[in-house]
Amino acid sequence: MITISNLSKFYKSGNETIAALSQINLQIQKGDIFGIIGFSGAGKSTLIRCLNRLEEPDSGRIVIGDTVITDLNEAQLRLARRKIGMIFQHFNLFDSKTVFQNVAFPLTVAGHPKDQIRDKVRELLALVGLEDKENDYPSQLSGGQKQRVGIARALVNDPDVLLSDEATSSLDPQTTYAILELLQDINRKLNLTIVLITHELDVLQHVCDHMAVIEYGRVAETGTVDKLFLNPESETARRFISIIDYYRDQRFVIEGTGAGI
Ligand code: ADP
């Protein structure tokens, strides 16, 4: 469903050229929850933002469904983006608009009829569990509730794909799991393909089916999430797993001394 071929992206910084992405090749199946994991600076954000061309790739090809995203002109890209929802670490809500107005925004600017907008927004607020918050402002909501608004807004055009750019990174662990479960629920109910970038192995383990590890702008390994844990091939995956093992061992040491945690 999503095919990324030979994708490269460079940034200029002074006299230096940084290869943020080098010859990325990936296939993501329709209906999958696909995790892209890597340490900070690995190229995850650049990769996910190339999928809807918020960043312009320097070379390579991206196909989503039947659409060659990299061949589209500006007007075609605007239409195609309606079918690619996106959620962000810092939610990107309008503080001066209510929950209802935030979710309705893409439909309002596209000039949809008011009753159609109302029905769609209410359907989505029910889906994300915020039926009773439509007149609240973002400042009245918790982080998890704000992200639920972000998710509802991302779904307002019935997208085929949802891109999640570190969407749980600023949430506490309990809220993170609730949001991940919501994403899983939406994936099943709407058969939506979700591409999720994260620097947290826990997120990948909790929600993703398949994964790619990004290291220095390259794909270091791909496969199922189970395979990553059973047989990590890349340096990045081994480091992630050793960090988890380290903290587990620390807990055993503390519990063993009766200190508790
Ligand atoms: P990640 O999301 O994995 O933290 P990024 O995709 O943000 O990584 O960044 C990949 C590399 O590209 C990093 O070396 C980063 O410093 C560089 N980079 C990202 N955006 C820009 C930019 N706008 N200008 C210059 N360098 C950038």
Side-chain angles (χ1 to χ4, degrees):
M1 140 117 246
I2 301 177
T3 307
I4 302 168
S5 317
N6 300 318
L7 182 70
S8 295
K9 170 76 186 173
F10 304 96
Y11 292 111
K12 286 229 178 303
S13 175
N15 292 332
E16 242 189 304
T17 300
I18 298 161
L21 299 174
S22 302
Q23 296 288 312
I24 299 278
N25 290 292
L26 278 179
Q27 286 244 335
I28 300 173
Q29 297 309 314
K30 186 171 167 49
D32 205 356
I33 305 185
F34 192 94
I36 297 172
I37 192 162
F39 288 109
S40 182
K44 307 179 296 296
S45 274
T46 305
L47 174 55
I48 204 165
R49 292 164 65 84
C50 280
L51 292 182
N52 56 3
R53 285 178 48 198
L54 283 179
E55 292 290 349
E56 282 296 340
D58 286 304
S59 60
R61 186 177 151 97
I62 296 165
V63 184
I64 300 184
D66 298 327
T67 308
V68 184
I69 297 290
T70 36
D71 283 353
L72 301 180
N73 63 30
E74 273 300 316
Q76 293 166 329
L77 182 59
R78 263 198 304 279
L79 284 179
R81 278 189 183 144
R82 292 187 186 169
K83 293 291 167 191
I84 310 171
M86 190 159 190
I87 54 175
F88 304 88
Q89 179 176 359
H90 298 297
F91 323 122
N92 292 15
L93 303 180
F94 296 109
D95 290 336
S96 60
K97 293 187 191 294
T98 64
V99 166
F100 184 99
Q101 290 164 340
N102 266 284
V103 178
F105 186 74
L107 300 181
T108 312
V109 292
H112 286 252
K114 273 193 172 154
D115 52 346
Q116 222 179 66
I117 296 178
R118 190 193 54 230
D119 291 351
K120 188 68 191 176
V121 172
R122 292 204 170 139
E123 174 198 320
L124 289 171
L125 289 180
L127 181 72
V128 302
L130 289 181
E131 304 87 324
D132 55 341
K133 299 283 180 201
E134 68 172 56
N135 295 317
D136 285 17
Y137 286 87
S139 61
Q140 297 170 278
L141 303 177
S142 67
Q145 288 170 332
K146 285 182 198 169
Q147 194 54 283
R148 285 171 191 270
V149 178
I151 292 170
R153 184 186 52 190
L155 298 177
V156 85
N157 282 311
D158 300 319
D160 303 316
V161 176
L162 179 67
L163 306 178
S164 167
D165 188 354
E166 298 276 9
T168 56
S169 294
S170 56
L171 303 175
D172 62 64
Q174 203 180 336
T175 312
T176 292
Y177 290 127
I179 292 293
L180 293 177
E181 269 150 34
L182 174 63
L183 290 177
Q184 234 168 1
D185 186 46
I186 288 167
N187 162 261
R188 288 194 204 107
K189 279 189 184 143
L190 310 179
N191 193 29
L192 184 72
T193 308
I194 300 179
V195 183
L196 181 156
I197 65 167
T198 184
H199 63 273
E200 294 168 299
L201 199 53
D202 220 22
V203 168
L204 198 74
Q205 185 175 27
H206 200 73
V207 78
C208 296
D209 307 314
H210 293 91
M211 57 78 203
V213 177
I214 304 291
E215 210 173 72
Y216 308 117
R218 296 176 183 275
V219 176
E221 67 177 289
T222 59
T224 65
V225 170
D226 289 346
K227 180 230 148 220
L228 182 91
F229 283 91
L230 292 173
N231 183 24
E233 289 168 21
S234 59
E235 177 60 25
T236 294
R238 283 193 288 267
R239 276 174 61 198
F240 269 117
I241 288 168
S242 70
I243 291 168
I244 284 194
D245 288 346
Y246 173 81
Y247 283 109
R248 189 185 302 120
D249 291 348
Q250 288 297 305
R251 203 177 66 214
F252 286 146
V253 170
I254 293 166
E255 282 171 351
T257 62
I261 53 171

